């Protein structure tokens, strides 16, 4: 397409917004409005309204008062497309095998715009089990999946994920003990907690890790003691089965990421 044809279809406002997003994606710590305008060789006044809209739509956040930084909204949007479908596809046979071995249901969740979102689930093999519908949005703060998604991210990424939640829902107050728990989960390698939603259920969750060691998803079993199945694995054995399945899926996910970047 020649220059004249390109100019015909120009969208200056869109170009300006994309320039800002691409610039902020290339730096750590954010930039002030003046720094953005200087790097893009434009007047600061040209970016005020665009930055305001990007903040209001959740793509950019203000930090330290006057600095602008990317949120994880673009990351969340990207996850809803092909990479997530591939991850769910890879996970399906492993989740089916996990359900058969553990006699429990399980689900796979990723982070999306302030919540954990279930992208795949496998029913328990027998007539009794706990399951969550695909597409359900669940809390980051009182579920095993949410804890895992926060625990296996950097402190900076955690704060952005929490900020995403605060923009879309009621603000939540998190004390030092919550962050200490996340660090303990990361060190231990999994989460085990009583369900905050259903009595008698324990959330057992393990991370799906990318090649860089960052969590990209959480595999969770809502564990219930099966009194009518004495041969079913106990909670300790179930944790072992869960972590093994999560490790296998991490290997597949890492391989897929590597191939996609080539």
């Amino acid at each position: 397409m020649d220059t004249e044809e390109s100019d015909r279809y120009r969208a200056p406002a869109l170009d300006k917004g994309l320039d800002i997003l691409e610039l902020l994606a290339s730096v750590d710590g954010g930039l002030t409005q003046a720094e953005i305008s200087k790097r893009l060789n434009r007047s600061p006044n040209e970016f005020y309204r665009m930055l305001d809209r990007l903040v209001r739509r959740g793509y950019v956040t203000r930090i330290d008062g006057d600095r602008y930084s990317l949120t994880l909204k673009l990351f969340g949007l990207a996850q809803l497309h092909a990479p997530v479908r591939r991850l769910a596809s890879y996970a399906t046979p492993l989740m089916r095998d996990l359900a058969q071995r553990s006699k429990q249901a399980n689900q796979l969740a990723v982070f999306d715009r302030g919540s954990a979102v279930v992208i795949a689930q496998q029913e328990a093999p027998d007539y009794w089990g706990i399951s969550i519908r695909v597409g359900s949005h669940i809390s980051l703060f009182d579920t095993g999946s949410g804890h895992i998604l926060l625990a296996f991210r950097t402190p900076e990424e955690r704060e952005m994920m929490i900020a995403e939640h605060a923009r879309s829902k009621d603000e939540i107050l998190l004390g030092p003990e919550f962050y200490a728990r996340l660090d303990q989960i990361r060190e231990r390698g999994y989460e085990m907690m009583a369900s905050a939603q259903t009595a008698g259920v324990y959330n057992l969750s393990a991370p799906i890790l990318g090649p860089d060691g960052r969590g990209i998803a959480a595999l969770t079993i809502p564990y219930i003691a099966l009194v009518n199945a004495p041969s079913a694995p106990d909670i300790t054995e179930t944790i072992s089965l869960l972590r093994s399945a999560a490790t296998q899926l991490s290997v597949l996910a890492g391989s897929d990421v590597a191939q996609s970047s080539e």
Side-chain angles (χ1 to χ4, degrees), residues 18 26 28 31-32 36 48 53 58 87 99 107 113 138 158 171 175 177 180 186 194 229 250 254 256-257:
L18 293 173
S26 70
D28 292 324
L31 295 170
T32 65
I36 292 171
Y48 176 78
R53 294 313 304 165
L87 180 60
Q107 66 248 358
R113 288 171 284 184
I138 57 180
R158 286 181 191 173
E171 188 173 356
E177 66 280 358
R186 188 182 183 102
S250 295
D256 181 63
V257 170

Side-chain angles (χ1 to χ4, degrees), residues 156-210:
E156 294 77 16
E157 287 171 325
R158 286 181 191 173
E159 291 308 312
M160 285 195 292
M161 293 165 78
I162 292 168
E164 289 278 352
H165 170 89
R167 268 189 292 274
S168 58
K169 301 175 182 65
D170 294 335
E171 188 173 356
I172 188 167
L173 298 177
L174 303 171
E177 66 280 358
F178 179 78
Y179 292 95
R181 182 183 183 93
L182 295 182
D183 292 338
Q184 292 168 0
I185 292 168
R186 188 182 183 102
E187 183 176 349
R188 184 172 57 194
Y190 66 94
E191 171 66 305
M192 178 176 66
M193 60 177 285
S195 171
Q197 293 77 32
T198 307
V201 175
Y202 277 83
N203 291 329
L204 311 178
S205 302
I208 310 304
L209 303 175

Side-chain angles (χ1 to χ4, degrees), residues 78-90:
Q79 282 196 319
L80 296 179
H81 296 288
V84 166
R85 290 197 295 272
R86 288 200 299 270
L87 180 60
S89 176
Y90 291 155

Side-chain angles (χ1 to χ4, degrees), residues 104-118:
Q104 306 280 342
N106 60 76
Q107 66 248 358
L108 187 69
V110 299
F111 174 79
D112 177 46
R113 288 171 284 184
S115 298
V117 179
V118 177

Side-chain angles (χ1 to χ4, degrees), residues 85-158:
R85 290 197 295 272
R86 288 200 299 270
L87 180 60
S89 176
Y90 291 155
T92 297
L94 288 171
M95 293 173 68
R96 187 181 302 121
D97 181 67
L98 176 61
Q100 291 290 335
R101 290 173 177 271
S102 67
K103 309 300 183 187
Q104 306 280 342
N106 60 76
Q107 66 248 358
L108 187 69
V110 299
F111 174 79
D112 177 46
R113 288 171 284 184
S115 298
V117 179
V118 177
I119 63 168
Q121 71 93 24
Q122 185 66 45
E123 301 281 359
D126 296 324
Y127 63 87
W128 178 251
I130 303 292
S131 63
I132 300 179
R133 291 191 304 273
V134 171
S136 296
H137 286 64
I138 57 180
S139 172
L140 291 175
F141 309 113
D142 60 3
T143 66
S145 296
H147 287 181
I148 286 292
L149 292 171
L150 288 171
F152 288 86
R153 285 282 174 171
T154 66
E156 294 77 16
E157 287 171 325
R158 286 181 191 173

